[in-house]
Amino acid sequence: MSYKAYKGSTLVKKIYHGSTAIKKVYKGSTLVWQADFYEPGTVLYESSIGGATAALSLEDGIYEVYCIGGGAGSSGRYLGSTIRGTGGGSGAGFIGQVKLSKSTYPVSVAAGGSANGGHGGNSAIGNAIIAYGASGMTRGEAPDISVDIISTTLNSPGNSGSSGTGSKGSRAGASLYNGYGAGAGLANGGAAGTAGYVKITYVGL
């Protein structure tokens, strides 16, 4: 964690030596003040465990966030010697830098949908960022972002699944990022979708 300094009751956010911004102030070898609330690049939260939750207290600043919704489960059963069923859709996803205000954010990581077409859950960082899970074959809806976006790497609904017969007749919705939130492929009795993913990294003020 960084260290704070006040002039009276006013929080000092920037210190200059002439026109040069100072990042850190030491008393001897002891750090007594730091411009950023956290060291830039610090990962404050990361999980791909479906159903994981946390209450994350964040300071004002710019954060890089990954938020991927859960994939839906598939369905399937044998008709004679061939399986017929549906592949699950994949969860929506957002990756980018956003500006967050000081607050406590409830964080949740989406669970994958259960076998036989179960819906994938939503991944969320409070109400600031919500990445929706897939519903059966239907892809997760486009993410809901209610904070200022600084830059975007990914902001997309998921991929749809399809129905069919045999391994080539149906399709699972592909993950938008690194295998997280993928829809399940066709299987006898169905298969579960893949859990989502949330990562939050501090960038700076």
Side-chain angles (χ1 to χ4, degrees):
M1 292 291 290
S2 62
Y3 300 84
K4 299 180 182 180
Y6 292 84
K7 183 178 181 180
S9 60
T10 302
L11 176 66
V12 176
K13 292 188 176 181
K14 295 182 180 180
I15 295 176
Y16 291 88
H17 181 257
S19 60
T20 303
I22 302 300
K23 289 289 187 181
K24 296 180 180 180
V25 176
Y26 290 85
K27 183 178 181 181
S29 61
T30 303
L31 178 66
V32 295
W33 182 85
Q34 183 171 308
D36 292 285
F37 293 107
Y38 318 98
E39 191 69 31
T42 299
V43 177
L44 300 172
Y45 183 85
E46 183 176 19
S47 180
S48 59
I49 300 173
T53 61
L56 194 63
S57 294
L58 299 177
E59 301 284 350
D60 292 331
I62 296 172
Y63 297 81
E64 182 179 55
V65 299
Y66 291 65
C67 194
I68 310 294
S74 66
S75 65
R77 65 187 182 89
Y78 276 104
L79 294 175
S81 60
T82 304
I83 295 177
R84 180 170 180 81
T86 61
S90 68
F94 176 83
I95 300 173
Q97 293 187 2
V98 299
K99 188 173 184 179
L100 298 178
S101 299
K102 180 176 179 177
S103 187
T104 298
Y105 293 84
V107 177
S108 57
V109 180
S114 60
N116 289 316
H119 297 182
N122 301 333
S123 288
I125 303 170
N127 292 321
I129 301 167
I130 302 173
Y132 295 103
S135 174
M137 290 188 296
T138 305
R139 64 187 183 177
E141 297 178 5
D144 187 357
I145 314 297
S146 60
V147 292
D148 291 338
I149 298 174
I150 306 301
S151 65
T152 304
T153 302
L154 172 70
N155 188 356
S156 176
N159 292 304
S160 298
S162 67
S163 62
T165 301
S167 60
K168 296 181 180 180
S170 69
R171 182 185 70 241
S175 165
L176 295 179
Y177 173 72
N178 206 31
Y180 301 116
L186 183 65
N188 186 37
T194 305
Y197 176 66
V198 175
K199 181 180 180 182
I200 303 171
T201 303
Y202 179 70
V203 174
L205 295 173

